Amino acid sequence: MERMWAPWRIGYILGEKPEGCVLCAKVRAPLEKDEDNLVIFRGQHSYVLLNLYPYSNGHLMVAPYAHLGDFEELDQPTLMELARLSQWSVSLLKKAISPAGFNLGLNLGRPAGAGIADHLG
């Protein structure tokens, strides 16, 4: 097994974690702060943002506005928008950085690798 090493993530690993939900804080901030918060698109039910501590170049997250950690609790409009924004993100990344491949997925729960287990993203 090859071990993934992303040394730029050490700030996240060793750093102090902010109080509350980071994903909720980013979308509650004024729109003028979107660039600072790495939010690149806001939809009606969800949004797209760059990962501050990416595993690789182009690491985007698509997250619902609703503070939910259970995938099964998503309503249909949010679920459909998450899918559309994921598809749009793939298209955007193809044009921007021409990656050789993509990994789309959800980490549901801390044991599955979710950094923020109580907010899908």
Side-chain angles (χ1 to χ4, degrees):
M1 173 196 290
E2 186 176 333
R3 191 172 289 241
M4 182 183 286
W5 173 242
W8 53 88
R9 292 180 50 82
I10 199 71
Y12 172 74
I13 294 166
L14 298 178
E16 191 172 317
K17 308 301 183 274
E19 290 291 319
C21 178
V22 174
L23 295 175
C24 287
K26 288 179 182 285
V27 294
R28 279 196 304 260
L31 294 176
E32 308 83 66
K33 292 288 192 180
D34 277 359
E35 186 174 341
D36 293 338
N37 287 325
L38 306 176
V39 174
I40 62 172
F41 181 82
R42 289 177 181 249
Q44 187 174 1
H45 306 283
S46 52
Y47 61 104
V48 181
L49 69 157
L50 294 166
N51 190 329
L52 181 59
Y53 298 101
Y55 284 107
S56 62
N57 294 336
H59 186 170
L60 298 180
M61 296 187 296
V62 181
Y65 293 129
H67 183 81
L68 296 172
D70 188 345
F71 186 68
E72 297 158 302
E73 290 183 26
L74 290 172
D75 60 31
Q76 285 299 305
T78 303
L79 184 61
M80 293 307 298
E81 188 173 77
L82 287 170
R84 284 194 309 274
L85 289 179
S86 295
Q87 185 181 49
W88 174 77
S89 296
V90 167
S91 178
L92 183 73
L93 287 168
K94 280 182 179 179
K95 292 174 188 165
I97 61 175
S98 302
F102 291 89
N103 183 6
L104 299 177
L106 293 167
N107 296 329
L108 303 176
R110 202 159 306 282
I116 304 170
D118 56 350
H119 194 135
L120 298 170

